[in-house]
Amino acid sequence: MDAHGPAGERSHGAVPEPGELTAGLGEGARECHDNWDRLMQTRDDVLKCLEAARNEKRIGAPLEARVVITASGENATLLEQHAGELPALFIVSQVEVKRAAEGFSVTVERAAGEKCERCWRYTTDTGADGRYPTVCGRCAQAVGEMLHG
């Protein structure tokens, strides 16, 4: 979007051009920005697939989902580097990244395990801590720290 006032002067409060947003960034920051853009594009693809799975009644809520992403090249590397953060980024319980020779695909399945009463994620370790039988391992640790310091 190019917002100019009379005589071609830039209007105050105008939306900057995409190149202007990264103009002063160093190479490392620019790479981080580009990676974030790629992750957000992947998120958009995942959200479309989640919506389709909901419409087909394969899942109810996104936290009932396990997302399998098959990717190649730099995309696979980026997703592998951020594998631990992908469930939070996509708001799902589980994400698996598979490397392929080429292409990109997203598959949505029902998540494995039981629902944690505290975080609502589906995990295979829900109930593993006998002190807190209705929560996952991560939440059991957090509850234990809150109650016992």
Side-chain angles (χ1 to χ4, degrees), residues 43-62 65 67 90 92 106 108:
R43 183 178 187 269
D44 289 345
D45 295 338
V46 168
L47 293 179
K48 289 174 190 170
C49 292
L50 287 169
E51 187 61 30
R54 285 184 60 162
N55 289 338
E56 296 166 2
K57 308 290 187 212
R58 289 186 286 136
I59 61 169
V67 173
F90 304 150
V92 298
V106 177
V108 176

Side-chain angles (χ1 to χ4, degrees), residues 100-143:
E102 60 182 39
F104 177 86
S105 67
V106 177
T107 305
V108 176
E109 306 170 348
R110 288 197 63 84
E114 299 294 321
K115 183 178 180 179
C116 170
E117 285 186 358
R118 182 172 180 264
C119 69
W120 295 14
R121 293 179 316 126
Y122 285 76
T123 70
T124 56
D125 67 349
T126 298
D129 187 326
R131 300 173 301 162
Y132 313 108
T134 61
V135 300
C136 67
R138 184 180 75 169
C139 288
Q141 181 178 354
V143 169

Side-chain angles (χ1 to χ4, degrees), residues 18 24 65 72 95 145-146:
S72 61
V95 176
E145 288 175 9
M146 286 188 301

Side-chain angles (χ1 to χ4, degrees), residues 61-96:
L63 284 174
E64 294 177 9
R66 174 178 182 265
V67 173
V68 179
I69 301 173
T70 304
S72 61
E74 291 180 4
N75 283 337
T77 301
L78 178 64
L79 293 168
E80 290 167 348
Q81 288 171 346
H82 295 282
E85 292 87 22
L86 295 178
L89 181 63
F90 304 150
I91 313 173
V92 298
S93 288
Q94 300 155 6
V95 176
E96 178 183 358

